[in-house]
Structure formats: C-alpha cells, structure tokens
Amino acid sequence: MKSNNIEVESLDDTISFLKRDISEKKRQIVVCQKQLTCKKSLEEEINLLQTQLLECKDQNLALEKSLENPDFESRIRKLQGSDPSPEELISKIQQLEVKLGEKEQQLHEKELVYEQEDRLCNALQAKVDRSRQDTLEQAMKANKMKASIKKCTKKVKAVAAELAMVKANAMALQQERQEEELRLDVCRQRLEQGLPPSEDMEQEWLRYLRDEHRRHADQQLRAKMSEDEERQELPSGTITTAEPRPNAYIPLDDPLPLPKPYGALAPYKPSQPGTSMRHIRKPKPRPIEI
C-alpha cells in the first residue's frame, strides 16, 4: 500500500504538470490566434512596400541611363572662347621653357643653400647633443646633491628632535631631583622631631607589619591544620572529620587517677540539636495527684 501510495502521488504530480503544460499551450494558441488578425494587414503592407521598391528601382535605372547618355541636352555645356594658333602655342611653350629653366636654377640655388644649412644644423645638433649630455650629467649631480641635502636635513631634524627630547628629559630629571631633595630635607626634619620620615613610608611600614602579621598567622593556621589532619588520621590511614569519642574514663574513687577503658558499653554522645528543634515545644510537667 505504501508503494502504491507513492506511485499515486507521483502520478498526481505528473498529472498536475501535464495540466499546467496544457494550460500553457492553450495560452500560446490564444496568443497566436490574436496575432493572426494582424497578418492580413501586414501582408497588404508588404505588397505595397514591394511595389514601391520596384518603382524606385525602375526610376533609378532610368536616371542611370540618362546620366550615361552623352547626347542628352541637359548634360551638354559648350565652352566659350577660341583655340590658339600653333604659332601662339609655340611661343607660349618657349616662354614656359624659359620660366622652367629659371625655376630650375632657383631650385638648384635653394638646394645648395639647403645643403649648407643642413650642415650647419647638423653641427648645431651635435653641439646640442653634447650639451644635453652635459646637462643630463649636471642634472644627475644636482639631483644627487639635493638628495644628500635632504638626507642631511632629515638627520639634522632628527638630531634636533632627539636633543629637544633629551633637554626635556634632563629638565624633568632636574625637577625630580629638586623635588627629591626637598622631600629628603623634610624627611630629615621629621626624623629629628621623632616622627616617621613621611606618610607614605609610614603607610609602607604599617603595610609591611600587617603583611608580616598575616604571614605569621597563615603559618600558624597551616601548622594547626597539619596538626588537625594528623589528629584526624585513623590508624587505617583514612582521614575523618568526626570528633574523637572518649574510650576511657578516670574513676573518682581510685587513688591513682589513671584512665580505664570503657569496654564494650561506651557512653553515647548525643549530637547537636538541629534547626528543627525550634518547632518542638518543651513539655510542661503535670502535677502528680495521689
């Protein structure tokens, strides 16, 4: 029955899961059906856009053909003026050749000037490099000197701080020495008067005496405790805290006061009355009637 119940529970779980899945599928179906209402409008819009695309492509092809056609009237632009004669062209060519020769000569002169300036610049650059190296060395030396100066300054400051601390400590010690000298004079005056040197010393002496007294009392207490332990130790080796019972008595009519053992019938020692005795009233003796 337990296994069947477990199987039934598992089947119930699968049934609930399938029900949820069915509800989800139904929901998806409803959503898809709602989307189908917009399908027709979307298809019409797609067809309209496709026709517009085809029209744009045809217009683009027509524009490309009109652009490539050289006989198209709107593309022709006639130039104004007249063409020069061959003699004019030759004279212009000669003038241009003369100008070209002059320009080449000027260019050659400029190249010479450029080379001379380049040599001067190279020499100056070499000097600058050498001075830069010297400057770098001098800067490195200056940095080293600055670092050494900073280090020395820090050492001087540290020494000055230590000196100030030593001076302060010396002043404090000097003041303490003066106070101790004054205290010593006061102690001497009190000793001459027959008084203790100071209240602190008196308290210290009283404390010492109290400690000595307590130490002596502790020693006596330990000695007493050791004696009690020896007294409470039985012949068998065990230690008891019970009070020792008398096992002998001294007879009154005996001329020699020697203790005699009780024997088997020793007297009974009653225990101390407890706290419950306060609940017990003392009996009142009644008179005897004869």
Side-chain angles (χ1 to χ4, degrees), residues 180-242:
E180 292 295 332
E181 287 178 354
L182 292 174
R183 192 178 294 117
L184 181 60
D185 294 337
V186 172
C187 291
R188 284 176 181 174
Q189 292 176 4
R190 289 174 65 90
L191 285 173
E192 289 176 357
Q193 295 175 4
L195 298 174
S198 65
E199 295 181 358
D200 295 337
M201 291 182 181
E202 185 179 2
Q203 295 293 331
E204 186 69 24
W205 176 251
L206 294 174
R207 192 182 300 109
Y208 174 75
L209 292 177
R210 187 168 59 252
D211 293 340
E212 285 290 330
H213 179 69
R214 186 174 63 252
R215 195 179 298 108
H216 184 65
D218 292 341
Q219 289 178 358
Q220 290 181 354
L221 181 61
R222 284 196 295 270
K224 185 179 180 181
M225 289 176 65
S226 62
E227 289 178 1
D228 292 341
E229 288 179 358
E230 291 177 359
R231 193 185 307 114
Q232 291 173 358
E233 187 175 0
L234 298 177
S236 61
T238 58
I239 295 174
T240 179
T241 58

Short mmCIF file of all heavy atoms in Angstrom, two decimals, residues 180-242:
data_model
loop_
_atom_site.label_atom_id
_atom_site.label_comp_id
_atom_site.label_asym_id
_atom_site.label_seq_id
_atom_site.Cartn_x
_atom_site.Cartn_y
_atom_site.Cartn_z
N GLU A 180 63.01 65.55 44.99
CA GLU A 180 63.53 64.52 45.90
C GLU A 180 64.39 65.13 46.99
O GLU A 180 64.37 64.67 48.15
CB GLU A 180 64.32 63.48 45.09
CG GLU A 180 63.49 62.63 44.14
CD GLU A 180 62.51 61.76 44.89
OE1 GLU A 180 62.79 61.39 46.05
OE2 GLU A 180 61.44 61.45 44.31
N GLU A 181 65.19 66.16 46.67
CA GLU A 181 65.99 66.83 47.68
C GLU A 181 65.10 67.49 48.72
O GLU A 181 65.36 67.42 49.94
CB GLU A 181 66.91 67.85 47.02
CG GLU A 181 68.07 67.23 46.25
CD GLU A 181 68.93 68.28 45.58
OE1 GLU A 181 68.53 69.48 45.64
OE2 GLU A 181 69.98 67.93 45.00
N LEU A 182 64.04 68.18 48.25
CA LEU A 182 63.11 68.78 49.21
C LEU A 182 62.45 67.72 50.08
O LEU A 182 62.31 67.90 51.31
CB LEU A 182 62.04 69.57 48.45
CG LEU A 182 62.50 70.84 47.73
CD1 LEU A 182 61.36 71.43 46.90
CD2 LEU A 182 63.00 71.88 48.73
N ARG A 183 62.06 66.58 49.48
CA ARG A 183 61.45 65.51 50.25
C ARG A 183 62.45 64.94 51.26
O ARG A 183 62.08 64.59 52.40
CB ARG A 183 60.96 64.42 49.29
CG ARG A 183 60.06 63.39 49.97
CD ARG A 183 59.55 62.35 49.01
NE ARG A 183 58.66 62.95 48.02
CZ ARG A 183 58.90 62.97 46.72
NH1 ARG A 183 59.99 62.41 46.24
NH2 ARG A 183 58.03 63.52 45.89
N LEU A 184 63.74 64.84 50.86
CA LEU A 184 64.77 64.34 51.77
C LEU A 184 64.96 65.29 52.95
O LEU A 184 65.10 64.85 54.11
CB LEU A 184 66.08 64.16 51.01
CG LEU A 184 67.26 63.62 51.80
CD1 LEU A 184 66.95 62.24 52.36
CD2 LEU A 184 68.51 63.55 50.92
N ASP A 185 64.96 66.60 52.68
CA ASP A 185 65.08 67.56 53.79
C ASP A 185 63.90 67.45 54.75
O ASP A 185 64.07 67.48 55.98
CB ASP A 185 65.16 68.98 53.21
CG ASP A 185 66.43 69.21 52.41
OD1 ASP A 185 67.41 68.46 52.65
OD2 ASP A 185 66.44 70.10 51.53
N VAL A 186 62.69 67.30 54.17
CA VAL A 186 61.51 67.16 55.03
C VAL A 186 61.61 65.89 55.87
O VAL A 186 61.27 65.88 57.06
CB VAL A 186 60.24 67.17 54.16
CG1 VAL A 186 59.01 66.83 55.01
CG2 VAL A 186 60.04 68.53 53.51
N CYS A 187 62.08 64.79 55.23
CA CYS A 187 62.23 63.52 55.97
C CYS A 187 63.24 63.67 57.10
O CYS A 187 63.04 63.15 58.22
CB CYS A 187 62.64 62.41 55.01
SG CYS A 187 61.37 61.94 53.83
N ARG A 188 64.35 64.37 56.84
CA ARG A 188 65.36 64.58 57.90
C ARG A 188 64.77 65.40 59.04
O ARG A 188 64.98 65.09 60.23
CB ARG A 188 66.56 65.29 57.31
CG ARG A 188 67.45 64.37 56.46
CD ARG A 188 68.57 65.16 55.83
NE ARG A 188 69.41 64.29 55.00
CZ ARG A 188 70.40 64.73 54.23
NH1 ARG A 188 70.65 66.04 54.16
NH2 ARG A 188 71.12 63.87 53.51
N GLN A 189 64.02 66.44 58.72
CA GLN A 189 63.41 67.25 59.76
C GLN A 189 62.42 66.43 60.59
O GLN A 189 62.38 66.53 61.83
CB GLN A 189 62.69 68.45 59.13
CG GLN A 189 63.62 69.48 58.51
CD GLN A 189 62.88 70.59 57.82
OE1 GLN A 189 61.64 70.63 57.86
NE2 GLN A 189 63.63 71.50 57.18
N ARG A 190 61.63 65.56 59.94
CA ARG A 190 60.68 64.72 60.67
C ARG A 190 61.40 63.70 61.53
O ARG A 190 60.97 63.40 62.65
CB ARG A 190 59.73 64.02 59.69
CG ARG A 190 58.73 64.95 59.03
CD ARG A 190 57.93 64.22 57.97
NE ARG A 190 57.09 63.18 58.54
CZ ARG A 190 55.85 63.36 58.96
NH1 ARG A 190 55.29 64.58 58.87
NH2 ARG A 190 55.15 62.36 59.47
N LEU A 191 62.55 63.15 61.02
CA LEU A 191 63.32 62.22 61.83
C LEU A 191 63.91 62.92 63.05
O LEU A 191 63.97 62.34 64.15
CB LEU A 191 64.42 61.59 60.98
CG LEU A 191 63.99 60.51 59.99
CD1 LEU A 191 65.14 60.10 59.10
CD2 LEU A 191 63.42 59.29 60.71
N GLU A 192 64.38 64.17 62.89
CA GLU A 192 64.91 64.92 64.04
C GLU A 192 63.81 65.18 65.06
O GLU A 192 64.08 65.22 66.27
CB GLU A 192 65.50 66.23 63.54
CG GLU A 192 66.80 66.06 62.76
CD GLU A 192 67.30 67.38 62.20
OE1 GLU A 192 66.58 68.40 62.40
OE2 GLU A 192 68.37 67.40 61.56
N GLN A 193 62.57 65.33 64.63
CA GLN A 193 61.45 65.55 65.54
C GLN A 193 60.91 64.25 66.13
O GLN A 193 59.98 64.29 66.93
CB GLN A 193 60.33 66.28 64.82
CG GLN A 193 60.70 67.70 64.40
CD GLN A 193 59.62 68.35 63.58
OE1 GLN A 193 58.55 67.75 63.39
NE2 GLN A 193 59.88 69.58 63.12
N GLY A 194 61.47 63.09 65.72
CA GLY A 194 61.00 61.81 66.22
C GLY A 194 59.77 61.29 65.52
O GLY A 194 59.07 60.41 66.04
N LEU A 195 59.49 61.78 64.34
CA LEU A 195 58.33 61.35 63.54
C LEU A 195 58.79 60.47 62.39
O LEU A 195 59.98 60.43 62.06
CB LEU A 195 57.59 62.58 63.00
CG LEU A 195 56.99 63.53 64.03
CD1 LEU A 195 56.44 64.76 63.34
CD2 LEU A 195 55.90 62.84 64.85
N PRO A 196 57.88 59.74 61.77
CA PRO A 196 58.26 58.97 60.58
C PRO A 196 58.73 59.90 59.47
O PRO A 196 58.36 61.08 59.43
CB PRO A 196 56.96 58.25 60.20
CG PRO A 196 56.13 58.25 61.42
CD PRO A 196 56.49 59.49 62.18
N PRO A 197 59.58 59.40 58.58
CA PRO A 197 60.10 60.27 57.51
C PRO A 197 58.99 60.90 56.67
O PRO A 197 59.05 62.07 56.32
CB PRO A 197 60.99 59.35 56.69
CG PRO A 197 61.36 58.26 57.62
CD PRO A 197 60.21 58.06 58.54
N SER A 198 57.97 60.09 56.34
CA SER A 198 56.86 60.60 55.54
C SER A 198 55.65 59.71 55.75
O SER A 198 55.74 58.61 56.30
CB SER A 198 57.23 60.65 54.05
OG SER A 198 57.45 59.35 53.57
N GLU A 199 54.50 60.21 55.36
CA GLU A 199 53.27 59.42 55.50
C GLU A 199 53.30 58.19 54.62
O GLU A 199 52.81 57.12 55.01
CB GLU A 199 52.07 60.30 55.15
CG GLU A 199 51.85 61.45 56.12
CD GLU A 199 50.64 62.27 55.75
OE1 GLU A 199 50.01 61.95 54.72
OE2 GLU A 199 50.32 63.22 56.49
N ASP A 200 53.89 58.32 53.43
CA ASP A 200 53.98 57.15 52.54
C ASP A 200 54.84 56.06 53.16
O ASP A 200 54.50 54.87 53.12
CB ASP A 200 54.55 57.56 51.18
CG ASP A 200 53.62 58.51 50.45
OD1 ASP A 200 52.41 58.50 50.75
OD2 ASP A 200 54.12 59.25 49.56
N MET A 201 55.98 56.49 53.76
CA MET A 201 56.84 55.49 54.41
C MET A 201 56.16 54.86 55.61
O MET A 201 56.29 53.65 55.86
CB MET A 201 58.15 56.16 54.84
CG MET A 201 59.04 56.57 53.69
SD MET A 201 60.58 57.28 54.27
CE MET A 201 61.36 57.67 52.70
N GLU A 202 55.40 55.68 56.34
CA GLU A 202 54.66 55.14 57.48
C GLU A 202 53.63 54.11 57.01
O GLU A 202 53.49 53.02 57.60
CB GLU A 202 53.97 56.28 58.23
CG GLU A 202 53.28 55.84 59.51
CD GLU A 202 52.63 57.01 60.23
OE1 GLU A 202 52.71 58.14 59.72
OE2 GLU A 202 52.06 56.78 61.31
N GLN A 203 52.89 54.47 55.93
CA GLN A 203 51.92 53.52 55.39
C GLN A 203 52.61 52.25 54.89
O GLN A 203 52.11 51.14 55.08
CB GLN A 203 51.12 54.18 54.25
CG GLN A 203 50.25 55.34 54.68
CD GLN A 203 49.11 54.87 55.56
OE1 GLN A 203 48.64 53.74 55.44
NE2 GLN A 203 48.67 55.75 56.46
N GLU A 204 53.79 52.43 54.26
CA GLU A 204 54.53 51.28 53.78
C GLU A 204 54.99 50.40 54.93
O GLU A 204 54.94 49.16 54.87
CB GLU A 204 55.73 51.76 52.95
CG GLU A 204 56.51 50.66 52.27
CD GLU A 204 55.73 50.01 51.14
OE1 GLU A 204 54.82 50.67 50.61
OE2 GLU A 204 56.02 48.84 50.83
N TRP A 205 55.47 51.04 56.03
CA TRP A 205 55.91 50.26 57.20
C TRP A 205 54.73 49.53 57.85
O TRP A 205 54.85 48.35 58.22
CB TRP A 205 56.59 51.20 58.19
CG TRP A 205 57.00 50.53 59.47
CD1 TRP A 205 56.46 50.68 60.71
CD2 TRP A 205 58.05 49.57 59.61
NE1 TRP A 205 57.09 49.90 61.61
CE2 TRP A 205 58.10 49.18 60.96
CE3 TRP A 205 58.96 49.00 58.73
CZ2 TRP A 205 59.01 48.26 61.46
CZ3 TRP A 205 59.87 48.08 59.23
CH2 TRP A 205 59.89 47.73 60.56
N LEU A 206 53.59 50.23 57.97
CA LEU A 206 52.40 49.57 58.51
C LEU A 206 51.95 48.42 57.63
O LEU A 206 51.54 47.35 58.12
CB LEU A 206 51.27 50.59 58.67
CG LEU A 206 51.50 51.69 59.72
CD1 LEU A 206 50.36 52.70 59.67
CD2 LEU A 206 51.62 51.09 61.12
N ARG A 207 52.04 48.61 56.31
CA ARG A 207 51.69 47.55 55.39
C ARG A 207 52.63 46.36 55.55
O ARG A 207 52.22 45.20 55.52
CB ARG A 207 51.72 48.08 53.95
CG ARG A 207 51.09 47.13 52.94
CD ARG A 207 51.17 47.67 51.53
NE ARG A 207 50.51 48.96 51.38
CZ ARG A 207 51.11 50.12 51.20
NH1 ARG A 207 52.43 50.18 51.11
NH2 ARG A 207 50.43 51.24 51.08
N TYR A 208 53.92 46.67 55.73
CA TYR A 208 54.90 45.59 55.93
C TYR A 208 54.61 44.82 57.21
O TYR A 208 54.65 43.58 57.23
CB TYR A 208 56.30 46.19 55.96
CG TYR A 208 57.39 45.21 56.29
CD1 TYR A 208 57.82 44.28 55.35
CD2 TYR A 208 57.98 45.20 57.56
CE1 TYR A 208 58.81 43.36 55.67
CE2 TYR A 208 58.96 44.28 57.88
CZ TYR A 208 59.37 43.36 56.93
OH TYR A 208 60.36 42.45 57.24
N LEU A 209 54.30 45.56 58.32
CA LEU A 209 53.98 44.88 59.57
C LEU A 209 52.70 44.06 59.43
O LEU A 209 52.62 42.92 59.94
CB LEU A 209 53.80 45.93 60.68
CG LEU A 209 55.07 46.69 61.11
CD1 LEU A 209 54.72 47.74 62.16
CD2 LEU A 209 56.15 45.73 61.63
N ARG A 210 51.71 44.60 58.72
CA ARG A 210 50.47 43.86 58.52
C ARG A 210 50.71 42.59 57.70
O ARG A 210 50.17 41.52 58.00
CB ARG A 210 49.45 44.77 57.83
CG ARG A 210 48.07 44.17 57.72
CD ARG A 210 47.03 45.19 57.29
NE ARG A 210 47.34 45.79 56.02
CZ ARG A 210 47.76 47.05 55.87
NH1 ARG A 210 47.90 47.84 56.93
NH2 ARG A 210 48.02 47.54 54.67
N ASP A 211 51.56 42.71 56.68
CA ASP A 211 51.88 41.52 55.88
C ASP A 211 52.63 40.49 56.71
O ASP A 211 52.38 39.28 56.58
CB ASP A 211 52.72 41.94 54.67
CG ASP A 211 51.94 42.79 53.70
OD1 ASP A 211 50.70 42.75 53.75
OD2 ASP A 211 52.58 43.50 52.88
N GLU A 212 53.56 40.97 57.58
CA GLU A 212 54.29 40.03 58.43
C GLU A 212 53.34 39.34 59.39
O GLU A 212 53.43 38.11 59.61
CB GLU A 212 55.38 40.78 59.21
CG GLU A 212 56.58 41.17 58.37
CD GLU A 212 57.39 39.96 57.96
OE1 GLU A 212 57.41 38.97 58.72
OE2 GLU A 212 57.99 40.00 56.88
N HIS A 213 52.41 40.10 59.97
CA HIS A 213 51.44 39.51 60.90
C HIS A 213 50.55 38.50 60.18
O HIS A 213 50.30 37.39 60.69
CB HIS A 213 50.60 40.62 61.52
CG HIS A 213 49.56 40.11 62.48
ND1 HIS A 213 49.89 39.55 63.71
CD2 HIS A 213 48.20 40.05 62.38
CE1 HIS A 213 48.79 39.17 64.33
NE2 HIS A 213 47.74 39.47 63.55
N ARG A 214 50.10 38.85 59.00
CA ARG A 214 49.26 37.92 58.24
C ARG A 214 50.05 36.68 57.84
O ARG A 214 49.53 35.55 57.89
CB ARG A 214 48.73 38.63 56.98
CG ARG A 214 47.74 37.77 56.20
CD ARG A 214 47.09 38.51 55.05
NE ARG A 214 48.05 38.93 54.06
CZ ARG A 214 48.43 40.19 53.87
NH1 ARG A 214 47.93 41.16 54.61
NH2 ARG A 214 49.31 40.49 52.93
N ARG A 215 51.34 36.87 57.47
CA ARG A 215 52.17 35.72 57.12
C ARG A 215 52.37 34.79 58.32
O ARG A 215 52.29 33.56 58.20
CB ARG A 215 53.50 36.22 56.57
CG ARG A 215 54.30 35.16 55.84
CD ARG A 215 55.60 35.72 55.29
NE ARG A 215 55.38 36.77 54.32
CZ ARG A 215 55.60 38.06 54.52
NH1 ARG A 215 56.09 38.48 55.70
NH2 ARG A 215 55.38 38.95 53.59
N HIS A 216 52.60 35.42 59.50
CA HIS A 216 52.76 34.61 60.71
C HIS A 216 51.47 33.88 61.04
O HIS A 216 51.48 32.70 61.43
CB HIS A 216 53.18 35.53 61.88
CG HIS A 216 53.47 34.79 63.14
ND1 HIS A 216 54.52 33.89 63.26
CD2 HIS A 216 52.84 34.80 64.36
CE1 HIS A 216 54.54 33.39 64.47
NE2 HIS A 216 53.51 33.92 65.18
N ALA A 217 50.32 34.59 60.89
CA ALA A 217 49.03 33.93 61.16
C ALA A 217 48.78 32.80 60.18
O ALA A 217 48.26 31.74 60.55
CB ALA A 217 47.91 34.98 61.08
N ASP A 218 49.14 33.00 58.92
CA ASP A 218 48.97 31.93 57.93
C ASP A 218 49.83 30.73 58.27
O ASP A 218 49.40 29.57 58.13
CB ASP A 218 49.32 32.46 56.53
CG ASP A 218 48.32 33.47 56.04
OD1 ASP A 218 47.20 33.51 56.57
OD2 ASP A 218 48.68 34.25 55.11
N GLN A 219 51.07 30.99 58.74
CA GLN A 219 51.93 29.87 59.14
C GLN A 219 51.33 29.12 60.31
O GLN A 219 51.31 27.88 60.33
CB GLN A 219 53.32 30.41 59.49
CG GLN A 219 54.13 30.90 58.29
CD GLN A 219 55.47 31.45 58.70
OE1 GLN A 219 55.79 31.50 59.89
NE2 GLN A 219 56.26 31.88 57.70
N GLN A 220 50.80 29.85 61.31
CA GLN A 220 50.18 29.19 62.46
C GLN A 220 48.95 28.40 62.03
O GLN A 220 48.72 27.27 62.50
CB GLN A 220 49.79 30.23 63.51
CG GLN A 220 50.98 30.86 64.22
CD GLN A 220 50.54 31.87 65.27
OE1 GLN A 220 49.34 32.18 65.38
NE2 GLN A 220 51.50 32.38 66.04
N LEU A 221 48.17 29.00 61.08
CA LEU A 221 46.97 28.30 60.61
C LEU A 221 47.35 27.03 59.86
O LEU A 221 46.72 25.98 60.04
CB LEU A 221 46.15 29.23 59.72
CG LEU A 221 44.84 28.66 59.16
CD1 LEU A 221 43.91 28.30 60.30
CD2 LEU A 221 44.18 29.66 58.23
N ARG A 222 48.38 27.11 59.02
CA ARG A 222 48.82 25.91 58.32
C ARG A 222 49.34 24.84 59.29
O ARG A 222 49.07 23.65 59.12
CB ARG A 222 49.89 26.27 57.30
CG ARG A 222 49.36 26.95 56.05
CD ARG A 222 50.39 26.94 54.93
NE ARG A 222 51.55 27.75 55.28
CZ ARG A 222 51.67 29.06 55.01
NH1 ARG A 222 50.66 29.70 54.43
NH2 ARG A 222 52.75 29.72 55.36
N ALA A 223 50.10 25.28 60.35
CA ALA A 223 50.59 24.33 61.34
C ALA A 223 49.43 23.67 62.08
O ALA A 223 49.42 22.45 62.31
CB ALA A 223 51.53 25.03 62.32
N LYS A 224 48.41 24.51 62.43
CA LYS A 224 47.25 23.95 63.12
C LYS A 224 46.49 22.97 62.23
O LYS A 224 46.04 21.91 62.68
CB LYS A 224 46.34 25.09 63.57
CG LYS A 224 45.16 24.63 64.41
CD LYS A 224 44.33 25.82 64.84
CE LYS A 224 43.15 25.34 65.68
NZ LYS A 224 42.29 26.48 66.10
N MET A 225 46.37 23.34 60.94
CA MET A 225 45.65 22.44 60.02
C MET A 225 46.41 21.13 59.85
O MET A 225 45.80 20.05 59.78
CB MET A 225 45.49 23.14 58.66
CG MET A 225 44.49 24.29 58.68
SD MET A 225 44.39 25.16 57.10
CE MET A 225 43.73 23.87 56.06
N SER A 226 47.75 21.21 59.79
CA SER A 226 48.53 19.97 59.69
C SER A 226 48.38 19.12 60.94
O SER A 226 48.25 17.89 60.88
CB SER A 226 50.00 20.30 59.44
OG SER A 226 50.53 21.03 60.53
N GLU A 227 48.33 19.78 62.13
CA GLU A 227 48.12 19.03 63.37
C GLU A 227 46.74 18.38 63.38
O GLU A 227 46.57 17.22 63.79
CB GLU A 227 48.28 19.96 64.56
CG GLU A 227 49.72 20.41 64.80
CD GLU A 227 49.82 21.39 65.96
OE1 GLU A 227 48.75 21.67 66.56
OE2 GLU A 227 50.94 21.84 66.26
N ASP A 228 45.72 19.16 62.92
CA ASP A 228 44.36 18.59 62.87
C ASP A 228 44.30 17.41 61.92
O ASP A 228 43.64 16.39 62.20
CB ASP A 228 43.36 19.66 62.44
CG ASP A 228 43.21 20.74 63.51
OD1 ASP A 228 43.56 20.48 64.67
OD2 ASP A 228 42.75 21.86 63.13
N GLU A 229 44.99 17.52 60.76
CA GLU A 229 44.99 16.40 59.83
C GLU A 229 45.67 15.18 60.43
O GLU A 229 45.21 14.05 60.27
CB GLU A 229 45.70 16.82 58.53
CG GLU A 229 44.90 17.79 57.69
CD GLU A 229 45.63 18.20 56.45
OE1 GLU A 229 46.79 17.75 56.29
OE2 GLU A 229 45.08 19.00 55.64
N GLU A 230 46.78 15.41 61.17
CA GLU A 230 47.45 14.28 61.83
C GLU A 230 46.56 13.68 62.90
O GLU A 230 46.52 12.45 63.08
CB GLU A 230 48.76 14.76 62.45
CG GLU A 230 49.82 15.12 61.41
CD GLU A 230 51.08 15.65 62.05
OE1 GLU A 230 51.10 15.75 63.30
OE2 GLU A 230 52.04 15.97 61.31
N ARG A 231 45.80 14.55 63.62
CA ARG A 231 44.92 14.05 64.66
C ARG A 231 43.74 13.32 64.07
O ARG A 231 43.24 12.35 64.65
CB ARG A 231 44.43 15.23 65.52
CG ARG A 231 43.76 14.77 66.82
CD ARG A 231 43.18 15.93 67.60
NE ARG A 231 44.17 16.97 67.84
CZ ARG A 231 44.10 18.17 67.33
NH1 ARG A 231 43.10 18.50 66.52
NH2 ARG A 231 45.02 19.08 67.60
N GLN A 232 43.23 13.78 62.90
CA GLN A 232 42.06 13.16 62.29
C GLN A 232 42.39 11.92 61.50
O GLN A 232 41.49 11.24 61.03
CB GLN A 232 41.38 14.18 61.37
CG GLN A 232 40.72 15.34 62.10
CD GLN A 232 40.22 16.39 61.17
OE1 GLN A 232 40.40 16.27 59.97
NE2 GLN A 232 39.58 17.43 61.72
N GLU A 233 43.66 11.63 61.31
CA GLU A 233 44.04 10.44 60.56
C GLU A 233 43.89 9.21 61.44
O GLU A 233 44.41 9.15 62.56
CB GLU A 233 45.48 10.57 60.07
CG GLU A 233 45.89 9.45 59.14
CD GLU A 233 47.28 9.68 58.59
OE1 GLU A 233 47.91 10.70 58.94
OE2 GLU A 233 47.74 8.82 57.81
N LEU A 234 43.15 8.22 60.94
CA LEU A 234 42.90 6.99 61.67
C LEU A 234 44.07 6.04 61.51
O LEU A 234 44.90 6.20 60.61
CB LEU A 234 41.61 6.35 61.16
CG LEU A 234 40.33 7.19 61.36
CD1 LEU A 234 39.15 6.46 60.75
CD2 LEU A 234 40.08 7.46 62.84
N PRO A 235 44.14 5.03 62.37
CA PRO A 235 45.23 4.04 62.21
C PRO A 235 45.20 3.32 60.87
O PRO A 235 46.22 2.88 60.36
CB PRO A 235 45.01 3.07 63.38
CG PRO A 235 44.28 3.87 64.40
CD PRO A 235 43.41 4.81 63.63
N SER A 236 43.97 3.23 60.28
CA SER A 236 43.88 2.55 58.99
C SER A 236 44.41 3.40 57.84
O SER A 236 44.56 2.92 56.72
CB SER A 236 42.43 2.16 58.72
OG SER A 236 41.62 3.32 58.66
N GLY A 237 44.67 4.67 58.08
CA GLY A 237 45.19 5.54 57.03
C GLY A 237 44.17 6.51 56.47
O GLY A 237 44.51 7.44 55.76
N THR A 238 42.88 6.31 56.78
CA THR A 238 41.84 7.22 56.29
C THR A 238 41.75 8.43 57.19
O THR A 238 42.12 8.39 58.37
CB THR A 238 40.48 6.50 56.27
OG1 THR A 238 40.19 6.03 57.60
CG2 THR A 238 40.51 5.33 55.30
N ILE A 239 41.23 9.53 56.59
CA ILE A 239 41.11 10.80 57.31
C ILE A 239 39.63 11.05 57.57
O ILE A 239 38.79 10.93 56.66
CB ILE A 239 41.71 11.95 56.49
CG1 ILE A 239 43.21 11.74 56.33
CG2 ILE A 239 41.46 13.29 57.15
CD1 ILE A 239 43.87 12.73 55.42
N THR A 240 39.28 11.39 58.79
CA THR A 240 37.90 11.66 59.19
C THR A 240 37.83 13.01 59.86
O THR A 240 38.80 13.48 60.47
CB THR A 240 37.37 10.57 60.13
OG1 THR A 240 36.03 10.90 60.49
CG2 THR A 240 38.22 10.47 61.39
N THR A 241 36.67 13.64 59.73
CA THR A 241 36.43 14.93 60.39
C THR A 241 35.57 14.79 61.63
O THR A 241 35.20 15.80 62.24
CB THR A 241 35.76 15.89 59.41
OG1 THR A 241 34.52 15.31 58.94
CG2 THR A 241 36.65 16.18 58.20
N ALA A 242 35.23 13.59 62.01
CA ALA A 242 34.41 13.38 63.21
C ALA A 242 35.24 13.64 64.46
O ALA A 242 36.45 13.42 64.49
CB ALA A 242 33.85 11.95 63.23
#
